[in-house]
Amino acid sequence: LIIITLIFSRSSFADGHLYGPFPITLKGYTGDKTNSVSYSGQIARHVLHDSLKSLSSKGDLDEMMAYFNGSEKNKAIIAPASKDDFVIKQTLMNDLSKGKNLSGKAYKGIINGWPGNLTGPEVLEFMIKKAARVPNGFDASTGYNYTQLISKFAMGAVFYNQAVDGYLDEKLAADTKPNSKPYKDGAYYTGKEHVWDEGFGYWGAAAHALTLTAEQNYNVAKKKDMASADFNNDGVVDLKNEYTFAHAYYASSYDKGGKTNYLATINQAFIDGRQVIVDAAGQNLSFDLRTKLLAQRDIIVENWEKVIAESVFKYAGSTYKDIVALETILEANGDTTDAFRKYAKHWGELKGFALALQCGPKNLGETAVKMNRM
């Protein structure tokens, strides 16, 4: 994995506004690394998702599957891509991390909200194949906007599930990936350091997100604010630590209205939790430190679920308004084509986010698969 590096030291923000750099605490480490933070694999999967979403309206099944299943080729980054003066540093997948895919990390349980008794990867593959067969990823005969279904469900089935039902759950157990040992042979970070970093990587926020307003974070995702994105002032946006992805983007979109504070709450909890691990100084966490760490974990999990639930609520409202608009047009014997497309887009977002909620730590779908497919 490629280390995530910021040119600013932690002392630049003594009150903890940055996710990193954090010092090397691994006992016996003699290399030249100074920053123990690493989550480039998670960023690569965000880019695979964004690229897959872009491809889903173009009908090329082979290309879609290459970004879903991974490819031995060094594939181009289709999205996010540079736009006007918003210049993105990386252009190839291997610039981020090699050998990554989405299919192998998708929630393996049954998705009861989708027909066919399918697992997470099977649902996504079904949607991808359907998207390839209809114009622009939209099936006018059913009203299924597969671009939206694929994107919103993949964010839940991969990013949300991997973080809250893996890295921040089982892998935080005291006897799993212990803090007194490297994450793997040859690593320069401890087990718990890397587990926590990977959870943060799936969240999708820029490392300097807390130095920005919610609206600035939102505009970074929209590629409208180069000054806010380019934290180290090198003239390019580094996708590894300077961009806003996935649920962090949606959190910022709600927070900029001033009624919620999801992004700052979750980011602060990730930063504070990482400092707890640093405080263990390369030893297994004491009872007190574990208690503090799990408290930050609970803040993250609770608020991340709220971000997705808020998305369900938002698009349920949009879908309802679209239905009312369609009824009005029908009563006037008008053309419903555009209104139906708008409805289908919002319904696809609603359905995708609703399916994503089934991929959290409370769902028993994976156990059902093991029992029913023995």
Side-chain angles (χ1 to χ4, degrees), residues 26-27 177-192:
L26 181 64
K27 298 298 184 184
K177 298 296 182 182
N179 198 56
S180 58
K181 296 180 180 180
Y183 183 84
K184 61 182 179 181
D185 291 342
Y188 50 87
Y189 35 73
T190 71
K192 284 294 178 280

Side-chain angles (χ1 to χ4, degrees), residues 134-146 337 340-341 343-344:
V134 294
N136 302 312
F138 171 61
D139 187 347
S141 67
T142 62
Y144 281 10
N145 184 316
Y146 286 106
T337 302
F340 183 67
R341 282 183 173 274
Y343 156 79

